[in-house]
Amino acid sequence: MTRTEAGARAGRRVSEARERLLRTAGQLFYAEGIHTVGVDRLVAEAKVTNATFYRHFRSKEDLAVAYLGSVDQAIRGQIGTLTAQDVPTDVILRGIGESLVEQIRSPGYRGCAFLNAAAEFPDPGHPVHRAVVEHRAWFLRTVTGLFADITPAQAEHAGRHFVMLRDGAMSAGYLGDPVAAGETLLRGIEGLLRVHIARRADQGSATPAPSDRLPAEAAPVSGIDCSPPGA
């Protein structure tokens, strides 16, 4: 075996160990809370050593930031793939809503991983709290940008409204009836779209509204989750 081959194998082992830690942390942190799960348990369930853990992460909080980052990147990737296609804007927004409903109704659902983490780390200066704020700021910008295609003058208001609908549905789905929460979310998104598409028409926009281009049939957008894969 050459030195290059040996180095490549060692790199794969390191990467596999880090991925196991991230996967284990995602499942445990989401199901039980970040504060509740200790390093010893993470190490045991990920089947790594303490030395391996600290080789990759300086602390449990550092791992928590990485865990939230992995969820954030998955969501960014999925929405980015969808927005890069020639899909009407209202279909994208409805699809995001449908995917959230699927998540809310899924077994083991415990609410939004980002909102849960913010509740555990209320200090605005803490890295975990900052990771939550950064993700939410990106999501708001993204949704606002989508609404700008429908209602340029009211896009900021519409984006905030969409995010509040999402937050409320994700909390209600965990604390109450997930079916009712999902239905309420979809009705809210539909009403929001109807209002702003009508405003666009009233303002006499020369560009057809998104729903005028293609039928507004919502399809779930796979992976737009605020919980880790496998949770």
Side-chain angles (χ1 to χ4, degrees):
M1 181 186 300
T2 67
R3 289 185 180 181
T4 300
E5 290 171 335
R9 289 192 178 184
R12 282 197 296 272
R13 287 197 298 272
V14 169
S15 177
E16 288 169 2
R18 187 180 189 279
E19 288 305 310
R20 283 203 307 278
L21 280 166
L22 266 175
R23 187 166 56 251
T24 301
Q27 294 167 350
L28 295 178
F29 287 165
Y30 182 70
E32 302 178 26
I34 297 170
H35 287 318
T36 303
V37 181
V39 171
D40 289 345
R41 187 174 172 200
L42 288 165
V43 165
E45 298 209 16
K47 296 181 173 56
V48 299
T49 65
N50 280 71
T52 298
F53 178 94
Y54 288 107
R55 186 178 305 126
H56 295 292
F57 303 102
R58 292 168 296 178
S59 65
K60 185 179 74 173
E61 285 72 23
D62 191 34
L63 174 57
V65 171
Y67 143 64
L68 292 174
S70 67
V71 181
D72 170 76
Q73 287 303 313
I75 297 170
R76 289 178 188 242
Q78 291 290 339
I79 295 182
T81 297
L82 190 61
T83 55
Q85 300 172 8
D86 186 20
V87 179
T89 305
D90 57 334
V91 173
I92 297 173
L93 291 164
R94 288 186 178 99
I96 293 173
E98 290 283 355
S99 71
L100 290 168
V101 169
E102 285 195 349
Q103 183 190 355
I104 289 168
R105 297 176 181 175
S106 65
Y109 176 71
R110 291 195 68 254
C112 173
F114 294 97
L115 294 178
N116 293 348
E120 289 197 79
F121 294 88
D123 179 4
H126 195 283
V128 172
H129 191 98
R130 289 203 303 269
V132 172
V133 171
E134 288 169 7
H135 168 78
R136 289 177 61 78
W138 166 81
F139 186 75
L140 175 59
R141 286 196 306 271
T142 300
V143 172
T144 300
L146 289 169
F147 272 107
D149 186 46
I150 300 171
T151 176
Q154 297 292 325
E156 185 176 349
H157 168 76
R160 290 198 305 268
H161 197 158
F162 188 99
V163 173
M164 288 184 70
L165 285 170
R166 168 222 172 267
D167 288 350
M170 296 196 80
S171 297
Y174 172 52
L175 297 172
D177 182 348
V179 174
E183 290 174 352
T184 302
L185 173 63
L186 293 181
R187 284 198 301 270
I189 292 172
E190 194 62 37
L192 188 61
L193 286 168
R194 189 181 304 116
V195 166
H196 287 292
I197 289 173
R199 284 181 178 173
R200 180 190 183 98
D202 290 343
Q203 292 166 0
S205 173
T207 304
S211 57
D212 293 334
R213 295 198 296 267
L214 287 174
E217 296 177 356
V221 183
S222 174
I224 309 240
D225 295 342
C226 277
S227 60

